[in-house]
Amino acid sequence: RKFLLNDMPSEQDFTNAGLPTETFTVEKCYPLDVSALVGADDDGGYTYVRRRANQEGIASYGETRVRIENGQTIEFKRMLTDREYALALSNADPSRHIMRTKRTNFNWGKLTVYIERYVTPYPNLCILFVQAEPQLIGVELKLPSFVEKLIVEEVTGNKEYSAYHLSRADPSTVPSRRGSR
């Protein structure tokens, strides 16, 4: 599930709640894709590459190919070398921004939670992602109070808040950022 936040919780909030966190910097790029050149549209799928670095600067790289088949989203993932990532980055789609975020991960009960704070192109846009075990899907979520008070609205399934949509360089296609400062 996905929620728009009006701000990022402070490190002190997590410390006061006794919640350990892990923070990463994430860079996501949408390279030009041969399928895009032969007529695939937004509903046909896309590819992105990602660099994720921990606080010590150790990075991992990956590629995700997203395809939409019969209304189902299917993702194919593979690890990349730093060299493969650099090559994909050099072939970035000029109609899209390279997305840079700070990701804060934490566990809350049986939930895996992360908050994505955009650095570019939408500074301070914050989106909360909650990954739950299948039996908890659709159940009312109980999150830490310091997080719940920051929720503006649930945006699960709202394409306007997908990284793919947000990466568009044309600002007229992007929703207003009620959650950003």
Side-chain angles (χ1 to χ4, degrees), residues 107-112 131-133 135-136:
N107 292 319
W108 180 252
K110 294 184 177 190
L111 303 175
T112 300
Q131 298 172 332
E133 294 181 6
Q135 67 268 28
L136 297 177

Side-chain angles (χ1 to χ4, degrees), residues 43-48 64-77:
D43 293 332
Y46 54 90
T47 297
Y48 65 87
T64 302
R65 292 184 179 270
V66 178
R67 299 293 173 247
I68 314 298
E69 295 179 13
N70 301 321
Q72 294 270 94
T73 300
I74 302 168
E75 294 185 348
F76 301 93
K77 297 183 178 194

Side-chain angles (χ1 to χ4, degrees), residues 41-153:
D41 60 15
D42 285 356
D43 293 332
Y46 54 90
T47 297
Y48 65 87
V49 294
R50 183 189 77 175
R51 176 187 187 275
R52 187 177 86 169
N54 64 16
Q55 291 170 311
E56 290 79 36
I58 299 169
S60 63
Y61 305 89
E63 174 188 68
T64 302
R65 292 184 179 270
V66 178
R67 299 293 173 247
I68 314 298
E69 295 179 13
N70 301 321
Q72 294 270 94
T73 300
I74 302 168
E75 294 185 348
F76 301 93
K77 297 183 178 194
R78 73 179 185 102
M79 299 299 296
L80 296 177
T81 65
D82 57 344
R83 187 177 238 166
E84 288 172 312
Y85 178 78
L87 181 62
L89 201 58
S90 71
N91 198 29
D93 182 343
S95 71
R96 296 192 174 276
H97 295 287
I98 294 174
M99 309 297 283
R100 292 182 176 90
T101 63
K102 178 180 175 186
R103 180 180 289 180
T104 302
N105 297 3
F106 64 96
N107 292 319
W108 180 252
K110 294 184 177 190
L111 303 175
T112 300
V113 181
Y114 66 94
I115 300 171
E116 200 88 64
R117 183 180 59 78
Y118 286 78
V119 176
T120 60
Y122 305 104
N124 298 314
L125 171 65
C126 295
I127 299 179
L128 169 78
F129 296 83
V130 180
Q131 298 172 332
E133 294 181 6
Q135 67 268 28
L136 297 177
I137 302 295
V139 174
E140 183 179 343
L141 296 176
K142 183 69 179 151
L143 297 166
S145 61
F146 68 90
V147 173
E148 284 186 343
K149 73 180 184 182
L150 299 175
I151 294 175
V152 174
E153 66 181 311

